[in-house]
Amino acid sequence: MKKFLIGIICILSLFAFNVNAEEVTTKEKVNVYVFTKDGCPYCEKAKTFLESSKEKYGKYYEIVEYQVYDSSWNADEKLMNIMNYVADKRGDKVEGVPYIVIGDNFSLNGYTSEYNDSIISAIKEAYNDDDYKDLVVEAQNENHEAEDTKENEKSYDGLITAGILILVVGGIVAFICLARKKNK
């Protein structure tokens, strides 16, 4: 009987001291894309803000910088295409840099410190969004598909040219053979 009561007390104590352990998540950080120009002071301020915010909010995001323009305003064609793809999807008209993109629900053209709270809010919202969609990754995938299509078109161009050349040479050979038969 004594063992039975001790067993019941042990079972009840498990329910009484039920510890709610905090759920551990391995959620991926969101990417904060900053399209920049070499030597752009506003771009540097935006990057500095994002870097300084990592101490407090770093569990939510990673910074990804794409230098679209060099110091002479020469554009990197591939990065320009990605930036324009995202801007089109967002309904933005990019008129300069920095162009900041977070997921598919936030973008900014330009930077002032007045945007800081909006940027942090967008980072948190994207992080907590179960339907988070990375437009820049989508743009990169589209860009690769376009490049693959161009490569395939180039390879078909060679095949078409070779086919036409074979037909022309075959036609000439056939014409010569027929002409020789008539002369005999």
Side-chain angles (χ1 to χ4, degrees):
M1 180 73 169
K2 201 175 194 182
K3 289 181 183 180
F4 178 75
L5 286 175
I6 291 174
I8 290 177
I9 291 172
C10 288
I11 291 172
L12 290 176
S13 68
L14 288 174
F15 291 111
F17 297 109
N18 185 8
V19 178
N20 239 349
E22 189 173 315
E23 195 173 297
V24 178
T25 60
T26 56
K27 192 165 185 167
E28 286 188 41
K29 296 179 180 183
V30 298
N31 290 323
V32 176
Y33 296 95
V34 185
F35 293 88
T36 64
K37 173 192 173 287
D38 184 31
C40 165
Y42 297 102
C43 300
E44 289 304 316
K45 288 178 184 178
K47 291 187 308 187
T48 299
F49 164 70
L50 289 166
E51 283 295 336
S52 67
S53 298
K54 283 202 89 160
E55 185 175 318
K56 188 172 182 180
Y57 303 105
K59 71 177 186 177
Y60 299 114
Y61 71 97
E62 292 293 336
I63 302 167
V64 180
E65 179 185 1
Y66 288 136
Q67 186 177 313
V68 179
Y69 302 103
D70 66 14
S71 59
S72 301
W73 286 100
N74 297 314
D76 179 314
E77 188 80 23
K78 187 175 180 181
L79 294 177
M80 180 68 93
N81 289 339
I82 291 170
M83 183 174 72
N84 288 332
Y85 176 92
V86 172
D88 288 344
K89 287 284 190 177
R90 295 273 313 129
D92 295 338
K93 182 178 179 185
V94 179
E95 296 178 338
V97 288
Y99 181 58
I100 301 170
V101 179
I102 303 167
D104 65 341
N105 292 319
F106 184 86
S107 57
L108 271 175
N109 194 192
Y111 174 79
T112 72
S113 60
E114 294 171 5
Y115 299 149
N116 292 355
D117 290 339
S118 298
I119 293 170
I120 294 300
S121 292
I123 290 169
K124 289 179 182 178
E125 285 176 28
Y127 181 81
N128 291 316
D129 184 358
D130 291 334
D131 297 323
Y132 171 75
K133 182 177 171 186
D134 191 323
L135 275 183
V136 175
V137 169
E138 182 181 306
Q140 291 168 333
N141 291 340
E142 286 288 323
N143 197 27
H144 287 304
E145 287 174 16
E147 288 174 0
D148 291 344
T149 301
K150 286 179 185 174
E151 288 299 318
N152 288 341
E153 287 172 358
K154 287 179 185 175
S155 65
Y156 288 135
D157 288 347
L159 289 174
I160 291 169
T161 304
I164 291 171
L165 185 60
I166 289 170
L167 287 174
V168 170
V169 169
I172 292 171
V173 169
F175 181 72
I176 292 172
C177 287
L178 286 175
R180 284 187 182 173
K181 279 186 180 181
K182 283 185 179 181
N183 288 339
K184 285 186 181 179

